[in-house]
Amino acid sequence: MLKFPPLLISLVALGLWGASVAQAAEPIARPRIGLVLGGGGARGAAHIGVLEVLEKMRIPVDCVAGTSMGALVAGAYAAGMSPAVMRRELARADWNDMFIDNPDFSEMSYRNKANLRNYLPGSETGITPDGAKYQSGVVAGQKIKLFFNQLVRANQGEINIGDLPLPLSIIATDIGNGDRVVFREGSLTKAMRASMSVPGLLAPVEHQGRKLVDGGLVDNVPIGEVRERCKADVVIAVNVGSPLMKPEEIGSLLTVSGQMVNILTEQNVTRSLALLTVDDIYIKPDLEGITAGDFPRHAETADRGRAAAEALMPSLQHLSQPEPVYLAWWKGIEVTSRVSPRIDEVEIIGLKRVSPELVQRYLHATNGSTIRPTEINRDLLRMYGDGYYESVDYTVLTQRERNILRVTPIEKSWGPDYLRLALNLETSTNSPATFGLRAAYHKTLLNSLGAEFITSVDVGFTNRLLFDFYQPLDRAQRFFVSTAAGVQQSHMDIYLDDQRVANYATKEAAVSVYAGMNIGLLGQVRLGWLERDRRFELDTGIRSLPNFSTRFGGVRATLDFDQFDRMYFPTRGWSSRIQYFDSREAGYSRLDAEAMAAVSFGDTVFNGRLAYTGSPNGRLPGYDAGSLGGFRNMSAYAKGQIIGDDISYVSLGAEQIIGRLPLGLRGDMRLGIALEAAKAGFRYTEQGSSGVLNSLAVYLGGETPFGPSYLGFGYSTSGVYNFFLSVGVK
């Protein structure tokens, strides 16, 4: 038997102990984890709550894939945004406004405002050599894309998916052939926007000759993608998809379309879930009562996602890592100190018809400046408010050590010539029902300065044919000349003792020429000459006013400022309109002045209106007099019941917002009340009463796809009252 010296035995024992200690000090290889965030519209905010739990438990992931709203959260996460910051940014976003492409009405160009006042925005139809063309979605996604830019700090530089430290896959669908499209490279914000393009609601995104829409149609919970992308040993899959609606819940075209999408989505989700193994973790938050459109409920939705993940903490525990390991992982992903670079050059690319100067006038960024997200977003929305573009976007690029701000306005593919429509229906207990339909052919961008020509036709209670030509004089469209010619035939009711006693036919032919100036986005002033041929003849009833047939001309000046946030039913802002016409031939002048304002406190909106119509020289003739009567113009009286000169009007009102229209349709429903007072210094009608008139109006109103709509009741202490209904654009 061999005997070893005690010293040798001690050295061997020490060596074995050191080896065991060294082995214990080596980190145990953790499983590779793939995170899957499924689509579900607003229900996708639950992903934020799940990420909060993963952060709390110190669970790193090796790759992430997302679809639709899951693509938004996954993209922000891979770009280094913590769950806490995501919560904060979603809370800051105005979700009632996010799916409205246009900026506030006050931020739009005057010319586009005029078109929106006269026609229904949703009626715009492109007229091309290939036939009629339409916008490819209810929402173009202008504000949504700018929100994505701000979310991932695109002002600090273009973010390429392939450059992200956390491997990211975003799923979209080729609407042309139904192929599944996976973004592993390219613009992060473009991929996010493509994956969220719900067919019919959001316009598709064009990419490499394809039109891409919501990835949920082909792969709503992309489990197979993370298996392939990072060879994941464990998949954490979060499903926030909407359940199928019950048969009794399906009754409209919108619900039928939604159910079709849900069916397609659920079929591919079932196939994806079949890929899960016993080692994977499946999280399906309880989102009962939260729909795909409930974006304002993002905080509650995130809380429910957090609760679902917390319920699975025992299953997640084995994936937790020591704090130093997790912090090192997150440090490689989180972005904390990037700053917006100074711009060396500004490029405007992609324009075909629009002058670059027209775009440049809104842009505050110059060489040597930095890009502030709120400022660039406002500038681009103002560009979009000109009405020429499908979208306006930007990127910040670095080329040869030079930082370039590249602005990319995409002109409307269905333009530049359009068919526009409008309709109107009015009825009340004191007036006969009237109906009108308006159609116009609108040619835009006729030359490099942006000239426009409109031919419009009205049929119904008022028959009108109008030609209008508008020619800017500089590329920024500050100065312009315009000319218009038209003929019109309508009717005027005459009242006596609150009874309609006669109806006069009015006919007018007019030609006008103006020169003017657009004062930024504040409004427009113009000065010119108006030549008129007026006929005013009794049609039915008792002769109350003399017939007229006269031709005259005069100087006309107008000022039109509008700073309301909305065209109809504003919540804040003001407007001021002054129009002056002076004719020595006719022996009178006419002044129309109006000022309005609105302010809101929560869902309560207070508004007021002051108006005056009168003749500073002479007296307004009966065929061109001012009038009172109709909604918010002495609502208790019939429309045009009081006709005269030197008319003053004031009203104060309050409206309570009681509901809002679905995504993509700006507007709300309101219950309103208005107190009105007016006085006519001289009257052609209702001469038996004098002094100050009063009226109280109570109404239900809102902005609908057909235009502003009102249903209400007006009452005056003089004993008159009026029930009224109005729908559409006047």
Side-chain angles (χ1 to χ4, degrees):
M1 184 175 182
L2 297 175
K3 293 185 179 180
F4 296 97
L7 179 60
L8 180 61
I9 294 174
S10 299
L11 291 174
V12 171
L14 182 62
L16 292 174
W17 176 82
S20 64
V21 170
Q23 183 177 4
E26 292 179 359
I28 300 174
R30 66 177 180 82
R32 296 184 62 78
I33 301 172
L35 176 63
V36 178
L37 304 180
R43 294 160 63 97
H47 294 314
I48 298 174
V50 173
L51 293 179
E52 289 173 340
V53 174
L54 298 184
E55 180 182 58
K56 177 182 178 180
M57 297 188 67
R58 303 187 303 276
I59 298 176
V61 299
D62 297 280
C63 64
V64 58
T67 300
S68 192
M69 188 66 173
L72 168 65
V73 177
Y77 192 53
M81 180 172 289
S82 69
V85 175
M86 289 188 209
R87 269 196 187 254
R88 185 188 69 204
E89 293 301 316
L90 290 186
R92 287 178 175 176
D94 184 353
W95 291 101
N96 291 322
D97 186 61
M98 185 70 69
F99 290 86
I100 304 298
D101 292 312
N102 282 328
D104 283 354
F105 196 62
S106 62
E107 297 284 274
M108 302 173 71
S109 69
Y110 181 87
R111 190 68 183 174
N112 200 20
K113 287 179 183 177
N115 291 330
L116 293 176
R117 286 179 185 141
N118 292 325
Y119 307 101
L120 298 175
S123 71
E124 182 182 271
T125 302
I127 305 299
T128 72
D130 298 326
K133 295 183 69 175
Y134 307 91
Q135 181 173 314
S136 52
V138 176
V139 181
Q142 176 63 33
K143 289 181 182 174
I144 295 172
K145 181 58 167 64
L146 295 182
F147 173 68
F148 292 169
N149 290 351
Q150 185 167 341
L151 192 66
V152 301
R153 300 174 291 273
N155 63 298
Q156 298 172 359
E158 174 74 5
I159 298 179
N160 189 298
I161 296 175
D163 295 334
L164 295 172
L166 177 61
L168 169 68
S169 300
I170 289 179
I171 313 299
T173 303
D174 185 334
I175 195 63
N177 56 24
D179 283 352
R180 174 176 172 268
V181 177
V182 181
F183 284 91
R184 292 184 175 182
E185 298 284 344
S187 168
L188 173 59
T189 55
K190 185 175 186 179
M192 292 161 66
R193 169 67 180 81
S195 187
M196 285 193 67
S197 300
V198 179
L201 175 62
L202 281 170
V205 171
E206 294 195 14
H207 176 69
Q208 298 179 349
R210 294 180 164 191
K211 290 188 176 181
L212 304 182
V213 298
D214 196 325
L217 297 178
V218 291
D219 198 356
N220 201 48
V221 186
I223 295 170
E225 173 62 22
V226 296
R227 289 259 193 240
E228 178 185 349
R229 185 71 195 271
C230 62
K231 309 304 179 186
D233 300 309
V234 177
V235 173
I236 301 174
V238 187
N239 181 10
V240 295
S242 300
L244 295 178
M245 289 180 283
K246 299 176 182 178
E248 59 270 19
E249 296 175 334
I250 304 172
S252 66
L253 180 61
L254 186 62
T255 54
V256 170
S257 300
Q259 185 77 334
M260 291 173 59
V261 172
N262 287 344
I263 290 173
L264 292 173
T265 300
E266 286 303 305
Q267 288 176 346
N268 70 66
V269 168
T270 300
R271 292 193 296 268
S272 291
L273 295 182
L275 301 176
L276 293 174
T277 69
V278 294
D279 295 324
D280 298 328
I281 297 172
Y282 177 59
I283 302 175
K284 186 173 177 59
D286 178 9
L287 301 175
E288 179 71 27
I290 297 177
T291 70
D294 282 334
F295 287 95
R297 298 174 64 182
H298 54 84
E300 176 191 351
T301 308
D303 289 342
R304 295 202 196 182
R306 184 184 183 100
E310 287 176 339
L312 293 174
M313 287 177 68
S315 300
L316 291 165
Q317 187 62 50
H318 72 285
L319 302 176
S320 179
Q321 296 297 311
E323 186 172 357
V325 174
Y326 179 82
L327 291 179
W329 169 82
W330 179 243
K331 186 177 180 180
I333 297 172
E334 185 179 27
V335 177
T336 57
S337 60
R338 289 177 63 192
V339 296
S340 181
R342 290 195 173 276
I343 300 301
D344 298 306
E345 182 182 352
V346 178
E347 291 183 350
I348 299 174
I349 66 172
L351 294 176
K352 299 177 181 178
R353 302 182 183 90
V354 178
S355 164
E357 287 87 347
L358 195 59
V359 175
Q360 186 70 44
R361 63 178 176 165
Y362 296 119
L363 200 58
H364 287 85
T366 59
N367 293 351
S369 66
T370 58
I371 305 301
R372 296 181 178 88
T374 54
E375 184 177 85
I376 191 70
N377 286 357
R378 184 176 184 182
D379 291 348
L380 267 60
L381 282 174
R382 285 177 166 181
M383 297 174 196
Y384 188 86
D386 280 344
Y388 299 132
Y389 314 108
E390 286 187 43
S391 65
V392 185
D393 204 357
Y394 77 95
T395 54
V396 177
L397 308 172
T398 300
Q399 296 179 353
R400 298 178 182 177
E401 298 183 355
R402 289 174 56 81
N403 299 314
I404 300 172
L405 170 63
R406 179 171 293 169
V407 180
T408 52
I410 306 300
E411 295 171 12
K412 289 178 178 177
S413 59
W414 59 93
D417 300 337
Y418 310 97
L419 173 68
R420 303 185 185 279
L421 301 172
L423 59 85
N424 175 254
L425 169 66
E426 286 188 280
T427 186
S428 72
T429 53
N430 293 340
S431 304
T434 63
F435 174 80
L437 177 65
R438 179 179 303 146
Y441 180 53
H442 185 192
K443 295 181 69 66
T444 69
L445 303 173
L446 293 172
N447 53 40
S448 62
L449 296 180
E452 299 183 11
F453 180 73
I454 297 179
T455 302
S456 66
V457 177
D458 287 61
V459 294
F461 179 76
T462 298
N463 298 312
R464 181 188 297 117
L465 175 64
L466 178 66
F467 303 94
D468 181 12
F469 179 72
Y470 173 82
Q471 176 63 66
L473 300 178
D474 62 308
R475 292 186 180 276
Q477 296 191 358
R478 289 182 294 267
F479 303 97
F480 66 90
V481 294
S482 67
T483 182
V487 293
Q488 174 178 308
Q489 181 182 30
S490 189
H491 295 270
M492 178 187 293
D493 291 324
I494 305 299
Y495 289 81
L496 178 63
D497 297 330
D498 300 324
Q499 299 295 320
R500 188 162 60 99
V501 297
N503 178 268
Y504 278 73
T506 66
K507 300 177 182 179
E508 179 174 6
V511 178
S512 63
V513 177
Y514 296 101
M517 178 174 64
N518 293 308
I519 305 177
L521 296 174
L522 184 63
Q524 186 182 92
V525 295
R526 59 170 65 191
L527 176 66
W529 183 268
L530 174 63
E531 190 73 22
R532 310 172 73 180
D533 188 325
R534 296 294 307 266
R535 296 186 181 185
F536 185 76
E537 300 174 345
L538 178 67
D539 187 21
T540 60
I542 302 171
R543 184 176 302 280
S544 306
L545 297 173
N547 291 346
F548 284 94
S549 180
T550 181
R551 180 176 178 177
F552 57 96
V555 175
R556 193 180 196 187
T558 63
L559 176 150
D560 189 352
F561 291 168
D562 193 330
Q563 291 296 289
F564 280 126
D565 62 335
R566 299 181 187 175
M567 179 169 52
Y568 308 113
F569 296 95
T571 61
R572 65 180 185 277
W574 60 272
S575 71
S576 177
R577 296 182 177 90
I578 299 174
Q579 183 173 283
Y580 181 74
F581 174 74
D582 183 81
S583 174
R584 293 188 178 182
E585 296 177 61
Y588 78 97
S589 60
R590 173 169 172 156
L591 173 65
D592 292 278
E594 179 185 65
M596 295 189 291
V599 63
S600 63
F601 298 93
D603 284 343
T604 303
V605 182
F606 297 94
N607 52 63
R609 175 175 175 250
L610 292 171
Y612 174 80
T613 299
S615 177
N617 300 307
R619 175 174 291 170
L620 293 179
Y623 59 82
D624 196 22
S627 66
L628 292 169
F631 178 65
R632 294 303 294 264
N633 192 40
M634 301 307 291
S635 306
Y637 295 83
K639 184 177 180 180
Q641 181 171 342
I642 298 172
I643 300 172
D645 188 10
D646 191 27
I647 293 177
S648 301
Y649 170 88
V650 60
S651 72
L652 293 173
E655 298 173 340
Q656 182 67 33
I657 298 174
I658 58 176
R660 289 182 169 84
L661 294 180
L663 296 180
L665 302 175
R666 164 167 284 185
D668 46 49
M669 299 302 296
R670 302 185 183 186
L671 183 62
I673 184 172
L675 298 174
E676 305 170 279
K679 184 176 182 179
F682 174 82
R683 301 187 186 186
Y684 286 104
T685 62
E686 298 290 9
Q687 296 176 345
S689 58
S690 62
V692 176
L693 305 174
N694 62 73
S695 175
L696 169 69
V698 180
Y699 56 91
L700 179 68
E703 187 171 347
T704 72
F706 299 102
S709 300
Y710 309 93
L711 173 65
F713 171 74
Y715 175 78
S716 172
T717 56
S718 65
V720 296
Y721 61 90
N722 190 21
F723 290 94
F724 52 85
L725 169 67
S726 175
V727 178
V729 178
K730 298 181 181 179

